[in-house]
Amino acid sequence: MPPPLWRISAKIHIKGPNRYTLDSTPIVHDAAYCAAVGFTDGRIDCAIRPEGAADRVACETLMLGNAADTGRPGPTWTRNGNYCTGSDCENHEDNQFLLYAYAGGTYAACSRDGMCGTVQVGR
């Protein structure tokens, strides 16, 4: 069962000369949950599981579902409301939580249930 309070964080992860790499992560807002899954620093907001946890991908998939365009576990990425399929943006080859952005705009990483995290990219 998913935690009660969560959101999707979307951000610019790497700024390269020809493209930006965007990243998305489901974020839980619950100090007790964060402590229970291994974040022992008292944080209130945390990833669904710590980086490297064996069940992280399974938990993220449970929360987000599969992307509508690629069918892969993770969010559906869009730029200005359109799927990322080529010249302006494209899905990372190995990780649905990452996206290559070649053009500016509003990028959204959305769950199967329509929860989205957005990031503005100016290029």
Side-chain angles (χ1 to χ4, degrees):
M1 182 167 139
L5 298 172
W6 69 283
R7 62 183 171 81
I8 299 173
S9 171
K11 67 179 184 177
I12 298 172
H13 183 60
I14 299 169
K15 287 185 177 183
N18 300 317
R19 69 181 184 200
Y20 289 178
T21 302
L22 309 184
D23 188 16
S24 64
T25 306
I27 301 294
V28 177
H29 181 76
D30 185 318
Y33 178 90
C34 293
V37 299
F39 295 98
T40 59
D41 57 1
R43 67 181 68 186
I44 296 170
D45 295 309
C46 63
I48 188 77
R49 290 290 190 276
E51 194 73 41
D55 61 349
R56 182 169 175 158
V57 172
C59 291
E60 289 177 334
T61 302
L62 177 66
M63 293 200 51
L64 298 179
N66 291 341
D69 55 344
T70 67
R72 299 188 309 182
T76 301
W77 283 96
T78 59
R79 175 184 169 268
N80 298 334
N82 299 306
Y83 290 142
C84 289
T85 58
S87 63
D88 294 336
C89 55
E90 64 182 332
N91 289 283
H92 187 277
E93 59 276 4
D94 298 323
N95 186 339
Q96 189 65 34
F97 290 87
L98 300 175
L99 181 82
Y100 298 129
Y102 303 105
T106 301
Y107 288 84
C110 300
S111 72
R112 71 173 165 261
D113 298 329
M115 178 178 289
C116 299
T118 60
V119 60
Q120 272 302 124
V121 173
R123 287 200 47 92

